[in-house]
Amino acid sequence: MPQQNSPLLKKFNIVISLGPEEEDFIKEMERERRPTTARTDLVKQGEKYQKIGLLHSGWAIRYKTLSDGRRHIINFLLPGDAYGVFSNLFEMADHSITMLTDGVLSVFEPETLVESYKRFPKVAAAFTWFAAREEALIAEHAAGLGQRTAFERLAHILLELYHRLDVVGLTLDGRFSMPVTQEILADTLGLSLVHANRTLRKLREANLIDTDGQTVTLKDYDRLAKLADFDESYLHLRPMSKRVERQFTTAA
Amino acid sequence: MPQQNSPLLKKFNIVISLGPEEEDFIKEMERERRPTTARTDLVKQGEKYQKIGLLHSGWAIRYKTLSDGRRHIINFLLPGDAYGVFSNLFEMADHSITMLTDGVLSVFEPETLVESYKRFPKVAAAFTWFAAREEALIAEHAAGLGQRTAFERLAHILLELYHRLDVVGLTLDGRFSMPVTQEILADTLGLSLVHANRTLRKLREANLIDTDGQTVTLKDYDRLAKLADFDESYLHLRPMSKRVERQFTTAA
DNA sequence: CGTTACCTTGATATCGTTCAAGTACCGTGG
DNA sequence: CCACGGTACTTGAACGATATCAAGGTAACG
């Protein structure tokens, strides 16, 4: 029977071509699957790091809490995303990760990744790539928080989520499921809950999106992209250049 | 004659203990020194990546430009900082880097770093550590942009700069040189130039800081840290844990 | 069927922006 | 040596985007 590729492999296959042995190595990493439930903490700010994790299904948030309770959501973790890849080097986590929904994940020891550096440099390159991409995403968010209006920011994050879900096959006709309360959205965009709600309404009233429960529909991608100044290149979802790939094959 | 350690080595020595051969490898990377002048672009958004760079002296900014000209400054590059370590994996730069002052830097091919993975895993670990730290800094800025007031944000960045300069020996009695116009500061904090100016004044009037030309003095670290909710742990300037260091020595 | 979580909307307050103007300090050329 | 233009800093006044306060609505769930 044809085994469907995991979301992680789907992403990897976009940027780098892996041989069967390399794919097997990754599949081995993903073999042990651990079901989780919404509100489970995967990482806790201030506590020691332990494992690296891969999210197979479900959504999670990576967030920071200020001492007075204010919370900022750094990023969403979607199916196919990893966490702890490099931040594992630190003694303590400077952020928390919590499941937003039920989901399934695999966790493994950092040693496994170190091993890949020796045996399968291309696998290591793929993980490094996505860790670097994490930073690119956060930098884009920071730029948005600094420079974009609430309206632009909201449009922008919806477009980002659309693209990120699209590569792992979780969109259909501009529609996707977004299991996120408006409070979560507000804490992501640096807005009050009330204003997040109103901004969402404005987007609906401008005929740019539709919402139906947790389902979001992008009704006019082009206008949305224009008003949010959205340029997908920061998502870096393109094949690795020969130049770079060569580095990681001769390195073997 | 006792050779003064480079700012990069000063930072590395905080987190990991390097043997003489490893230090030599780094010194070799830094050997060729290239003077640069203010306003020189080290990396340009939209252009191809080329090299990895180390900044020995001078300040630079990493920033993104929106299509309508708005600019957000992601981070400052200070002496001892590197750029392009991982973002080199990408085909195109999603941000620019420009010198704020005259300075000196070393640039080298990514292959050099790949080589270190095989020959000197601890050196690779140190670079990886600092690339991961980059992300931690940006995440903290994003959290600030989302949740902190202008006043808190300004206090926070001053404290961050103080700490980052301190580890490379560029502070004295709570004082440091900050070759940054208020416009740059505004674009970092997501404020208008006018409001950055007023916020700076408020900080002065509250007797928290002094400014004299480009020199900033932190007059009351504790009060500043408290009001900005500053917790230096996100800077991750502490020795690497045995657990991690072991990974990178057995990996050799 | 009451409680809880989430969404929605109005009214008012505030933080930060924009517009406008003026000052101080340079470096350069006449 | 002075006039000039450029860059950076400063301050006032009006405006606007977003927050806060307050209230009510709806659906899910034990």
Side-chain angles (χ1 to χ4, degrees):
Chain A
M1 63 249 138
Q3 198 192 325
Q4 197 63 18
N5 266 349
S6 72
L8 182 72
L9 272 172
K10 277 186 187 144
K11 283 194 342 186
F12 278 8
N13 282 330
I14 291 174
V15 302
I16 200 166
S17 61
L18 298 173
E21 287 193 342
E22 290 161 330
E23 292 215 351
D24 286 347
F25 183 78
I26 291 169
K27 281 176 183 155
E28 180 58 28
M29 281 170 139
E30 298 185 317
R31 200 173 43 81
E32 203 172 314
R33 279 152 183 272
R34 181 181 298 187
T36 355
T37 56
R39 277 151 222 249
T40 305
D41 290 324
L42 307 182
V43 171
K44 279 188 197 165
Q45 190 168 344
E47 294 195 354
K48 286 199 178 174
Y49 264 104
Q50 342 76 347
K51 313 253 185 173
I52 295 176
L54 298 174
L55 190 59
H56 297 301
S57 65
W59 285 42
I61 47 174
R62 200 144 89 76
Y63 66 95
K64 282 182 168 249
T65 313
L66 306 197
S67 61
D68 66 357
R70 278 176 285 180
R71 170 182 68 171
H72 186 73
I73 294 169
I74 309 290
N75 206 357
F76 292 102
L77 268 80
L78 308 181
D81 286 341
Y83 63 87
V85 171
F86 286 146
S87 44
N88 205 280
L89 291 179
F90 301 137
E91 184 71 2
M92 287 206 173
D94 56 11
H95 61 265
S96 304
I97 301 181
T98 301
M99 291 299 298
L100 237 34
T101 65
D102 294 351
V104 176
L105 45 97
S106 297
V107 296
F108 52 86
E109 301 294 334
E111 280 78 4
T112 312
L113 206 56
V114 174
E115 193 191 343
S116 82
Y117 276 78
K118 285 179 290 179
R119 291 177 54 202
F120 301 112
K122 277 168 102 175
V123 172
F127 274 104
T128 306
W129 173 289
F130 279 103
R133 194 183 84 125
E134 263 295 296
E135 183 184 316
L137 297 195
I138 298 173
E140 183 69 27
H141 295 166
L145 287 163
Q147 310 304 327
R148 285 192 248 260
T149 65
F151 196 64
E152 294 167 334
R153 249 144 53 207
L154 178 53
H156 199 275
I157 194 79
L158 292 177
L159 288 164
E160 175 182 317
L161 290 171
Y162 173 75
H163 277 275
R164 289 173 61 190
L165 291 168
D166 196 46
V167 298
V168 290
L170 292 173
T171 66
L172 188 64
D173 301 332
R175 218 171 316 122
F176 59 92
S177 167
M178 183 170 168
V180 163
T181 65
Q182 293 184 0
E183 191 182 4
I184 300 277
L185 200 53
D187 284 349
T188 305
L189 301 175
L191 299 174
S192 67
L193 166 58
V194 172
H195 200 61
N197 178 292
R198 288 192 228 268
T199 308
L200 208 42
R201 174 161 53 135
K202 265 177 66 185
L203 227 36
R204 261 189 252 108
E205 287 172 354
N207 240 297
L208 291 162
I209 65 164
D210 255 349
T211 57
D212 176 18
Q214 300 190 330
T215 302
V216 176
T217 309
L218 307 185
K219 290 172 77 176
D220 192 336
Y221 180 96
D222 293 339
R223 255 172 74 223
L224 272 173
K226 190 168 176 209
L227 109 234
D229 193 45
F230 183 82
D231 171 359
E232 60 168 310
S233 62
Y234 78 97
L235 296 171
H236 296 287
L237 286 169
R238 337 188 93 264
M240 210 175 259
S241 72
K242 296 295 159 216
R243 160 182 70 88
V244 173
E245 204 163 331
R246 207 175 311 120
Q247 280 170 39
F248 284 92
T249 39
T250 59
Chain B
M1 61 248 136
Q3 196 192 327
Q4 197 63 17
N5 266 349
S6 72
L8 182 71
L9 272 173
K10 277 186 187 144
K11 283 195 341 185
F12 277 8
N13 282 330
I14 290 174
V15 302
I16 200 166
S17 61
L18 298 173
E21 288 193 341
E22 290 161 331
E23 292 215 352
D24 286 346
F25 183 77
I26 291 169
K27 280 176 184 154
E28 180 58 29
M29 281 170 139
E30 298 185 315
R31 200 173 43 81
E32 204 172 314
R33 279 151 184 273
R34 180 182 298 188
T36 354
T37 56
R39 276 152 223 247
T40 306
D41 290 324
L42 307 182
V43 171
K44 279 188 196 165
Q45 190 169 344
E47 294 195 355
K48 285 198 178 176
Y49 264 104
Q50 343 75 346
K51 312 252 186 176
I52 295 176
L54 297 174
L55 190 60
H56 297 300
S57 65
W59 286 42
I61 47 173
R62 200 146 88 77
Y63 65 95
K64 280 182 169 249
T65 314
L66 305 196
S67 61
D68 65 358
R70 279 175 285 179
R71 171 181 68 171
H72 186 73
I73 294 169
I74 309 291
N75 207 357
F76 292 102
L77 268 80
L78 308 181
D81 286 341
Y83 63 87
V85 171
F86 286 146
S87 43
N88 203 279
L89 290 180
F90 301 137
E91 185 70 2
M92 288 206 172
D94 57 11
H95 62 264
S96 304
I97 300 182
T98 301
M99 291 300 297
L100 236 35
T101 65
D102 294 351
V104 177
L105 45 97
S106 297
V107 297
F108 51 86
E109 301 295 334
E111 281 77 5
T112 311
L113 206 56
V114 173
E115 192 191 341
S116 83
Y117 276 77
K118 285 179 289 177
R119 290 178 52 203
F120 301 112
K122 276 168 104 175
V123 172
F127 274 103
T128 306
W129 173 288
F130 279 103
R133 194 183 83 125
E134 264 295 296
E135 184 185 316
L137 297 195
I138 298 173
E140 183 68 28
H141 295 166
L145 288 163
Q147 311 303 325
R148 286 191 248 260
T149 64
F151 195 64
E152 294 167 334
R153 249 144 51 206
L154 178 52
H156 198 276
I157 194 77
L158 292 177
L159 288 164
E160 175 182 318
L161 290 171
Y162 172 74
H163 277 275
R164 290 173 60 191
L165 290 168
D166 195 47
V167 297
V168 290
L170 292 173
T171 66
L172 188 65
D173 300 332
R175 218 171 316 120
F176 59 92
S177 166
M178 183 169 168
V180 163
T181 65
Q182 293 183 0
E183 192 182 4
I184 299 277
L185 200 53
D187 285 348
T188 306
L189 300 175
L191 299 174
S192 67
L193 166 57
V194 172
H195 200 61
N197 179 291
R198 287 189 194 61
T199 308
L200 208 42
R201 172 161 54 133
K202 265 178 65 186
L203 227 37
R204 261 190 251 107
E205 287 172 355
N207 240 296
L208 291 162
I209 65 165
D210 255 349
T211 57
D212 176 18
Q214 300 190 332
T215 302
V216 176
T217 309
L218 306 186
K219 291 173 75 176
D220 192 337
Y221 181 96
D222 293 338
R223 253 171 76 223
L224 272 174
K226 189 166 176 211
L227 110 235
D229 193 45
F230 183 83
D231 171 358
E232 60 168 309
S233 62
Y234 78 97
L235 296 170
H236 296 287
L237 287 168
R238 339 186 91 265
M240 210 175 260
S241 71
K242 294 296 160 215
R243 161 182 71 87
V244 173
E245 203 162 331
R246 209 175 310 121
Q247 281 169 39
F248 284 92
T249 38
T250 58

